[in-house]
Amino acid sequence: MKKVLIIDDSEEFNFLMMSLFKFHKYEVETVTSSQTGIEKSLDTKFDVIIVDYMMEDGKTGLDILNEIVFDGAVNYKTPKILLTAKFLDDDEKDELLKYGVVYLSKPIMPNDLFRKITEMIG
């Protein structure tokens, strides 16, 4: 069973995504706190990690991904997706490319996100 971690401060988004992934027989964990998401990524191997760019606790999705990449040997090579409603400048895009992170613009249709994930991890 594929395992997904979603780090997003929107309870509604997390509920919607959890329902979609469970329907497709994925195991999914959702967290609304950046720190909790980072801690989970250090302890548990995931098949894909989805991170929101703008978190209410002050960290950006880039901050979270940097910590997962540098501190999270367990998920260093795990495919990662950054979701953002923000326009990313060239430096931010370069940083994402350096780590192989795919970024997708919000709002995104849940089925489109699911399709992208299945393309990434099979």
Side-chain angles (χ1 to χ4, degrees):
M1 183 179 290
K2 302 285 186 186
K3 192 168 193 168
V4 179
L5 173 62
I6 301 173
I7 306 170
D8 195 304
D9 52 11
S10 168
E11 293 280 352
E12 294 84 12
F13 179 79
N14 287 344
F15 178 78
L16 181 64
M17 295 311 300
M18 180 178 288
S19 300
L20 176 67
F21 283 107
K22 285 189 173 189
F23 176 80
H24 289 286
K25 307 293 190 239
Y26 281 58
E27 184 178 339
V28 66
E29 290 189 46
T30 63
V31 296
T32 56
S33 155
S34 299
Q35 192 57 43
T36 304
I38 291 166
E39 290 167 5
K40 283 195 174 287
S41 75
L42 297 177
D43 297 336
T44 306
K45 175 70 174 126
F46 292 94
D47 293 295
V48 67
I49 298 174
I50 302 167
V51 181
D52 185 27
Y53 185 90
M54 292 185 275
M55 296 290 288
E56 290 182 0
D57 58 16
K59 288 195 179 198
T60 68
L62 291 174
D63 296 332
I64 297 165
L65 290 167
N66 278 327
E67 289 193 47
I68 290 171
V69 168
F70 289 119
D71 297 334
V74 171
N75 286 295
Y76 177 75
K77 292 186 177 185
T78 299
K80 296 165 196 73
I81 296 175
L82 179 71
L83 299 176
T84 182
K86 176 189 178 297
F87 176 78
L88 298 180
D89 64 33
D90 289 338
D91 289 339
E92 291 170 315
K93 290 177 185 176
D94 289 344
E95 188 171 354
L96 293 173
L97 288 173
K98 180 171 56 174
Y99 299 120
V101 174
V102 172
Y103 77 93
L104 301 172
S105 296
K106 279 184 165 182
I108 187 165
M109 296 300 293
N111 286 331
D112 293 339
L113 178 57
F114 183 78
R115 191 173 7 285
K116 184 65 176 177
I117 290 167
T118 56
E119 287 172 12
M120 294 173 70
I121 65 173

